[in-house]
Amino acid sequence: MSTDAPLKIAVTGAAGQICYSLLFRIASGSLLGDRPIELRLLEITPALKALEGVVMELDDCAFGNLVNIEIGDDPRKVFDGVHAAMLVGAMPRKAGMERGDLLSANGAIFTAQGKALNDVAADDVKVLVTGNPANTNALIAMKNAPDIPASQFNALTRLDHNRAKSQLAAKLGVPVTEVSHMTIWGNHSATQYPDLFNAKVGGKNAAELVGDEAWIENDFIPTVAKRGAAIIAARGLSSAASAANATVEHMRDWILGTPEGDWVSMAVPSDGSYGVPEGLISSFPCIVKDGKYEIVQGLELGEFSRAKIDASVAELVDERNAVTELGLI
Ligand SMILES: NC(=O)c1ccc[n+]([C@@H]2O[C@H](COP(=O)([O-])OP(=O)(O)OC[C@H]3O[C@@H](n4cnc5c(N)ncnc54)[C@H](O)[C@@H]3O)[C@@H](O)[C@H]2O)c1
Ligand SMILES: O=C(O)C[C@H](O)C(=O)O
C-alpha cells in the first residue's frame, strides 16, 4: 500500500460499545500516527441512526488525519477497496454464557462479510476479527473469501495478551513495560493458555521469577482466561475500551511491525506449527516485519504447556466441526 494516500479502514459494529472507543482511537492517530485515513463504517439498518450520531461526534473532534467517513449497511459498498477491516460487529455474550455459545447467533455475519471482502476489498486487505467467538468467526470469514490469502485473516487475542502482562507485572511488583515475550496460545476462550514459561520479566524467565507453579496454574491462568466473564459480572456489559485498545494494537503492529526484540500474540491460520492442525485460527507468538507476520519457531513446551495448548486446540476443532455442520464453511 502507498504511504501517502488515505488508508481505507472498514470497521463493523460501528454503533456498538467497542467502537465508541475504537473509532476515536483510530481517528486520533493511535493506529497509524499522522497517516491520513478514511473510515468505512458498517452497521445493521436499525443502528444506522445511532451511527449517524457517532459520526457527528467524530466530526466534532476535528481530527486532522481523518479525511473522510462513509457509513452504510451493505458490506459490498462499505468494504470497497479497503486495506484494513476490523470486524467487531457481533452480539456479545451475557453472564453465564461461554463465547462459543454465540456461534450460531454470530457465525452467519461472517459468511456474508467474508464473501463481500473477497469480492470488493483491496488485494492486500488485512482482516482482524474481534467479534466473538473471534477465532472461529475469522475462520468462517476466511473460508468464505477463497481469493484472499488465508494469512490475511487474523483474530484478536491481544486483549488476553495484555491481561496476562498486567497480571504478571502486578504479581512481581514491576512496571508492565518490564514484561516481554508473553504468549497466548489457542482460542480466545476460557481454554486459552497464557504461557509464563516462555515469557520474560526484565529479560529473565517469568515462571522462574514467579517461582510458584500453583499460582500459575490456579490463579494466573484462570484469572486471565476468565477475565472477560469477570468484567461482564462487574460492568453488566462486556469489555469495550480494553477490547478497542487491543484491536488497535493488533492492527497497528500488523501494519507497522512488532517492537524489536519482542513478540506479540496473534490468532492466525496455523501452518502446522507446534502441532496445531493446519488452517485452524489459533493464537501463537508472532513477529511482524514489512506487513507480514511470522509464527515464532522453536519455543520449548513442557508437558504442562503441551496439555494446555492441546485442550484449547481441541476446542477450536470442535468449533470448526460445529460451523461445518451449520453450513457456514
Ligand atoms: N476478541 C476480544 O477480545 C473481544 C473483546 C471484547 C468483546 N468482543 C466481542 O466483540 C463483539 C462486539 O462487542 P460490543 O460490546 O461492541 O457489542 P455491542 O452489542 O455494543 O455492539 C455490536 C454492534 O454490532 C452491530 N452488528 C450486529 N450485526 C452486524 C452486522 N451484520 N454488520 C455490522 N454490524 C453489526 C450491532 O448493531 C451493534 O451495534 C461481541 O461479539 C463481543 O463479544 C471480543
Ligand atoms: O468475554 C467476553 O465475552 C468479551 C470479550 O471476549 C472479553 O474477553 O472481554
Side-chain angles (χ1 to χ4, degrees):
M1 6 172 167
S2 122
T3 48
D4 33 29
L7 193 85
K8 293 189 177 101
I9 303 168
V11 185
T12 72
Q17 287 274 327
I18 293 176
C19 287
Y20 199 60
S21 172
L22 176 63
L23 298 177
F24 296 83
R25 294 285 305 278
I26 296 171
S28 64
S30 299
L31 184 68
L32 293 172
D34 287 345
R35 171 113 192 237
I37 55 165
E38 173 173 330
L39 284 176
R40 301 290 194 81
L41 307 180
L42 185 73
E43 258 299 347
I44 51 170
T45 315
L48 285 176
K49 176 98 185 128
L51 181 54
E52 283 171 17
V54 176
V55 172
M56 286 158 77
E57 289 206 66
L58 282 164
D59 288 343
D60 294 350
C61 294
F63 289 122
N65 296 309
L66 179 55
V67 297
N68 192 28
I69 308 174
E70 305 274 342
I71 71 169
D73 56 5
D74 179 354
R76 301 182 70 84
K77 287 191 184 144
V78 172
F79 292 161
D80 190 26
V82 298
H83 300 285
M86 298 174 175
L87 307 187
V88 178
M91 186 195 291
R93 65 173 164 156
K94 308 274 184 312
M97 292 170 79
E98 289 300 331
R99 298 179 187 95
D101 297 337
L102 294 169
L103 258 187
S104 53
N106 287 339
I109 295 173
F110 295 87
T111 57
Q113 293 182 1
K115 288 188 170 97
L117 286 164
N118 190 63
D119 292 348
V120 301
D123 290 346
D124 63 356
V125 66
K126 290 177 160 61
V127 183
L128 171 60
V129 176
T130 296
N132 277 321
N135 301 53
T136 299
N137 286 339
L139 180 78
I140 295 169
M142 179 183 99
K143 290 282 189 193
N144 281 277
D147 301 331
I148 301 177
S151 60
Q152 291 171 221
F153 289 85
N154 284 187
L156 187 75
T157 50
R158 184 63 169 264
L159 178 53
D160 311 293
H161 177 97
N162 289 343
R163 288 167 171 165
K165 285 176 74 169
S166 170
Q167 292 297 323
L168 176 61
K171 167 75 175 169
L172 294 175
V174 299
V176 80
T177 47
E178 289 289 298
V179 178
S180 66
H181 302 86
M182 182 60 73
T183 307
I184 304 295
W185 298 91
N187 199 3
H188 172 63
S189 76
T191 66
Q192 68 179 262
Y193 174 51
D195 175 4
L196 289 195
F197 296 95
N198 286 295
K200 293 182 181 164
V201 176
K204 299 196 176 111
N205 183 277
E208 281 169 22
L209 283 175
V210 167
D212 182 352
E213 292 206 5
W215 178 81
I216 294 175
E217 186 170 3
N218 304 322
D219 200 330
F220 171 75
I221 294 173
T223 299
V224 173
K226 295 182 184 163
R227 187 71 161 184
I231 288 167
I232 292 169
R235 239 171 66 84
L237 288 170
S238 70
S239 63
S242 56
N245 178 63
T247 303
V248 165
E249 289 189 345
H250 181 129
M251 188 59 91
R252 183 198 62 208
D253 287 352
W254 195 4
I255 295 173
L256 298 180
T258 42
E260 200 53 46
D262 199 359
W263 65 63
V264 296
S265 304
M266 299 169 73
V268 303
S270 176
D271 58 0
S273 292
Y274 298 100
V276 178
E278 214 174 319
L280 283 181
I281 299 206
S282 189
S283 188
F284 291 98
C286 291
I287 53 168
V288 181
K289 277 197 191 119
D290 302 324
K292 303 227 178 309
Y293 69 79
E294 276 172 30
I295 298 172
V296 175
Q297 298 297 324
L299 298 187
E300 300 240 335
L301 298 173
E303 221 174 286
F304 177 80
S305 298
R306 188 70 259 169
K308 291 279 182 200
I309 295 171
D310 288 349
S312 196
V313 168
E315 182 184 45
L316 285 171
V317 171
D318 287 347
E319 289 185 10
R320 182 175 62 185
N321 292 341
V323 296
T324 305
E325 270 172 36
L326 288 168
L328 299 175
I329 62 174

